[in-house]
Amino acid sequence: MSKEKNGLFTIFGGTGDLAKRKLYPSLYRLYKKGYLKEKFAVIGTARREWTDDFYREVVVESIQNITESHEHAIEFASHFYYQSHNVTDIEHYDTLKKLSEKLDKQYQLEGNRLFYLAMSPNFFGVISQNLKDRDLITTTGFNRLIIEKPFGQDFESALVLNNQIRASFEENQIYRIDHYLGKEMVQNISAIRFGNYMIESMWNSRYIDNIQITLGESLGVEERGGYYDTSGALRDMLQNHILQIISLLAMEPPTRLKDKEIRTEKIKALKAVRLLEPDEVSDYMIRGQYGPSHNDISKNLNGYREEMNVALDSQTETFVAGKIMIDNFRWTGVPFYFRTGKRLTKKGTQIDIEFKNVPLNLFDNNDEPLPANVLTIYIQPTEGFSLELNTKKIGLGLATETLQLEHKYSAETTANSLEAYEKLILDCLNGDSTNFTHWDEVATSWKFVDIIRNQWDKEKVDFPNYASGSMGPIDSEQLLIKDGFKWHWCPNKK
Ligand code: BG6
């Protein structure tokens, strides 16, 4: 069976950064691999007045590092059309409709349409409404709406947004992107759990002591200060990526690895996340904001408040760490710690699963307790797994040492694996919504996050409280220490 897909992509925000950095290269990779061939077309829209030729030049430039040849790039870009568009102007949708119908015939697209909203969420409602009212939604093929985050600023605004969109699209036509769900190693969580009975049978509070999730970034907010200052790490990372990872780690085994079954389990797991009482927030959640670098003056790193478009007295957090408890039979009593932040020591995402200690230490370790066994899932930039085990030290006596069994995928393998966006776009072409977030997941996550946000907004903090290049505020170490644990991954201590 041919793997070729067909469809018309209409990208709202076609001149934007996301389109250039992620969407065009991903579409090109799918083209190179034969998922897209002759029967696809792309309409890029934005307010600017661009010609098709200029647009195609931009597309070619965005893929210049991954092209087979210049001719191949030109051939690919010939499928791209530009339409200047004001999202609030009804007549513009009529022009868009005419162009869509023309391309539909020209490329034999059978009425299959993907509307990609790569722009401010303020316009999601009006765009989806006009797509329906002005008949851009076809009756012959599939119609799918792909939406970028942020999906609302809190539960209330997300609900309003969802209602607006749902007036034109059914839930099963809506693909809410969380690009973490497209990452190879995030998808591997299910494989390591459900493909290994040894692991899955120990995947519960009897054997696991705590789980630690780190999403560290070494960069600051760069030129995104304007957006970030109204968002902060809580909304930017916890509401979506981190809670999604937690739902995959915590969910019960689905009956099949299909979208409906997986979502059902993820939603159940998220609903079991314990909601904090307002007066518990400071015990469970730590926030931070980066200041200038202390130890690398030559790099001259600014503090967050000196970044472009950031208020000089900004109270926005660029770091958040926390402890999440899941009140169900499997996880009761097991803390899920997480931390994420900008300008940390190193870019790296990993999950450390710390197993319980042996009930009695029989070895000769100078009264030191045996280190816990730790299973690590390396998500990025390294992709792989490791398992730390205690074994006998070679030689006399019965002392132990910790060995690390490790598999890291080679740079070649990871370079050839599908990129997150590439996978997600292909899933969407296939109508597979497994790796997209359902409204119930979004809603449940906001309800958890809103409690923290509301509490934090009431209390002024003394920022900045961590130096660029560190692993965040000292309080995030204390969060674990007071429970008798410590962060397993300490890139700042090597
Ligand atoms: C995005 C956030 O969702 O994820 C960014 O808005 C963050 O602030 C990014 O930098 C991190 O993604 P990745 O794939 O680089 O870990």
Side-chain angles (χ1 to χ4, degrees):
M1 207 174 83
S2 160
K3 61 182 183 182
E4 183 185 358
K5 309 284 161 216
N6 70 353
L8 172 67
F9 292 84
T10 306
I11 302 181
F12 292 86
T15 57
D17 197 45
L18 180 83
K20 288 187 260 183
R21 273 189 313 110
K22 300 285 184 193
L23 307 186
Y24 303 149
S26 300
L27 288 170
Y28 178 69
R29 287 202 185 88
L30 293 174
Y31 183 68
K32 214 155 76 168
K33 291 175 187 160
Y35 292 106
L36 295 175
K37 281 185 178 165
E38 289 311 314
K39 298 183 188 165
F40 84 98
V42 180
I43 304 178
T45 78
R47 292 192 70 141
R48 287 179 220 180
E49 302 279 346
W50 281 6
T51 61
D52 285 347
D53 284 345
F54 183 72
Y55 182 44
R56 288 172 190 168
E57 275 172 35
V58 171
V59 171
V60 169
E61 200 186 306
S62 72
I63 58 172
Q64 61 183 347
N65 297 329
I66 52 171
T67 43
E68 262 174 23
S69 66
H70 188 60
E71 290 65 44
H72 199 242
I74 300 276
E75 200 181 287
F76 167 72
S78 72
H79 291 254
F80 285 66
Y81 297 80
Y82 187 77
Q83 181 63 58
S84 161
H85 182 87
N86 173 353
V87 293
T88 53
D89 186 333
I90 292 175
E91 283 174 18
H92 283 192
Y93 289 87
D94 298 336
T95 319
L96 208 54
K97 182 176 180 222
K98 273 196 207 120
L99 178 59
S100 306
E101 285 169 357
K102 177 175 155 265
L103 296 177
D104 199 299
K105 283 208 191 76
Q106 186 178 336
Y107 291 94
Q108 302 168 40
L109 305 177
E110 297 168 350
N112 291 335
R113 297 202 175 158
L114 301 106
F115 304 99
Y116 202 119
L117 309 192
M119 59 189 312
S120 164
N122 296 340
F123 301 117
F124 290 177
V126 71
I127 297 175
S128 39
Q129 189 190 338
N130 283 325
L131 289 176
K132 182 171 185 214
D133 292 353
R134 309 311 292 175
D135 274 346
L136 273 110
I137 298 178
T138 61
T139 47
T140 49
F142 63 68
N143 289 273
R144 296 178 184 145
L145 185 74
I146 314 179
I147 309 179
E148 280 291 332
K149 73 175 239 293
F151 199 87
Q153 280 279 92
D154 52 19
F155 172 70
E156 286 305 327
S157 56
L159 182 63
V160 169
L161 183 57
N162 201 52
N163 289 341
Q164 285 173 336
I165 295 170
R166 283 297 311 277
S168 309
F169 289 87
E170 297 295 326
E171 175 64 35
N172 64 10
Q173 295 178 306
I174 304 172
Y175 290 71
R176 296 179 196 82
I177 294 242
D178 183 316
H179 77 283
Y180 264 70
L181 297 180
K183 290 187 192 278
E184 188 62 50
M185 293 306 294
V186 172
Q187 298 187 355
N188 224 324
I189 294 174
S190 292
I192 196 159
R193 286 188 58 190
F194 309 130
N196 301 290
Y197 201 33
M198 183 182 89
I199 290 187
E200 185 52 28
S201 52
M202 297 178 72
W203 205 259
N204 56 51
S205 62
R206 277 181 74 188
Y207 301 104
I208 292 182
D209 227 4
N210 72 90
I211 293 185
Q212 305 179 8
I213 302 161
T214 303
L215 277 72
E217 297 189 76
S218 51
L219 292 178
V221 288
E222 310 298 291
E223 58 291 330
R224 292 169 73 227
Y227 150 75
Y228 197 87
D229 212 36
T230 61
S231 158
L234 194 68
R235 293 187 174 115
D236 191 47
M237 301 295 277
L238 175 63
Q239 187 274 335
N240 37 69
H241 311 320
I242 295 174
L243 284 169
Q244 281 295 315
I245 291 177
I246 290 181
S247 69
L248 288 169
L249 290 168
M251 71 179 181
E252 292 301 313
T255 46
R256 296 189 312 156
L257 282 179
K258 293 281 179 218
D259 42 7
K260 197 163 150 268
E261 286 78 2
I262 293 181
R263 278 174 164 187
T264 306
E265 297 306 336
K266 282 171 70 190
I267 293 166
K268 274 202 272 179
L270 286 170
K271 291 206 160 144
V273 166
R274 187 189 304 166
L275 295 178
L276 298 176
E277 293 299 329
D279 63 357
E280 289 175 325
V281 169
S282 58
D283 286 339
Y284 283 77
M285 296 288 149
I286 308 296
R287 56 181 153 162
Q289 184 190 81
Y290 65 81
S293 159
H294 279 341
N295 49 15
D296 199 351
I297 296 153
S298 59
K299 273 200 189 159
N300 212 4
L301 294 174
N302 277 340
Y304 175 69
R305 289 176 175 181
E306 284 87 58
E307 303 280 18
M308 219 171 26
N309 300 326
V310 169
L312 284 173
D313 58 351
S314 173
Q315 286 282 302
T316 302
E317 76 288 348
T318 59
F319 176 97
V320 48
K323 171 163 92 166
I324 288 181
M325 302 304 290
I326 300 183
D327 291 328
N328 64 15
F329 214 87
R330 183 184 285 264
W331 293 116
T332 230
V334 180
F336 283 65
Y337 299 105
F338 72 87
R339 61 184 163 167
T340 183
K342 303 265 181 209
R343 281 280 177 77
L344 301 187
T345 316
K346 214 171 167 179
K347 165 124 184 129
T349 302
Q350 72 178 60
I351 304 167
D352 296 301
I353 295 126
E354 228 174 79
F355 288 88
K356 291 213 152 111
N357 236 313
V358 289
L360 178 67
N361 182 0
L362 302 171
F363 300 90
D364 177 10
N365 286 26
N366 296 329
D367 294 332
E368 288 288 319
L370 280 178
N373 299 133
V374 180
L375 171 68
T376 298
I377 306 176
Y378 300 100
I379 307 236
Q380 65 178 16
T382 303
E383 297 184 14
F385 300 97
S386 73
L387 180 62
E388 289 179 13
L389 297 175
N390 297 310
T391 61
K392 180 184 167 302
K393 237 187 206 160
I394 303 285
L396 293 177
L398 269 179
T400 61
E401 64 182 348
T402 306
L403 290 188
Q404 198 176 34
L405 308 181
E406 183 174 89
H407 176 77
K408 291 186 174 165
Y409 293 100
S410 68
E412 202 188 8
T413 312
T414 51
N416 288 333
S417 70
L418 265 65
E419 290 245 327
Y421 269 92
E422 196 182 336
K423 271 198 198 152
L424 295 174
I425 293 174
L426 184 59
D427 282 351
C428 193
L429 277 163
N430 284 327
D432 179 354
S433 50
T434 310
N435 296 311
F436 295 83
T437 36
H438 188 277
W439 163 245
D440 290 347
E441 298 171 54
V442 176
T444 313
S445 302
W446 273 127
K447 285 180 187 162
F448 177 76
V449 163
D450 282 355
I451 296 172
I452 306 166
R453 185 75 269 161
N454 291 340
Q455 191 58 22
W456 279 358
D457 285 347
K458 287 186 194 143
E459 299 160 0
K460 210 159 177 241
V461 257
D462 199 9
F463 279 159
N465 62 351
Y466 72 96
S468 286
S470 69
M471 277 308 275
I474 210 80
D475 285 352
S476 81
E477 311 282 330
Q478 288 303 324
L479 180 74
L480 275 72
I481 291 173
K482 69 183 184 203
D483 292 344
F485 303 122
K486 57 184 187 334
W487 290 107
H488 187 69
W489 189 44
C490 305
N492 52 334
K493 297 205 176 126
K494 277 183 190 155

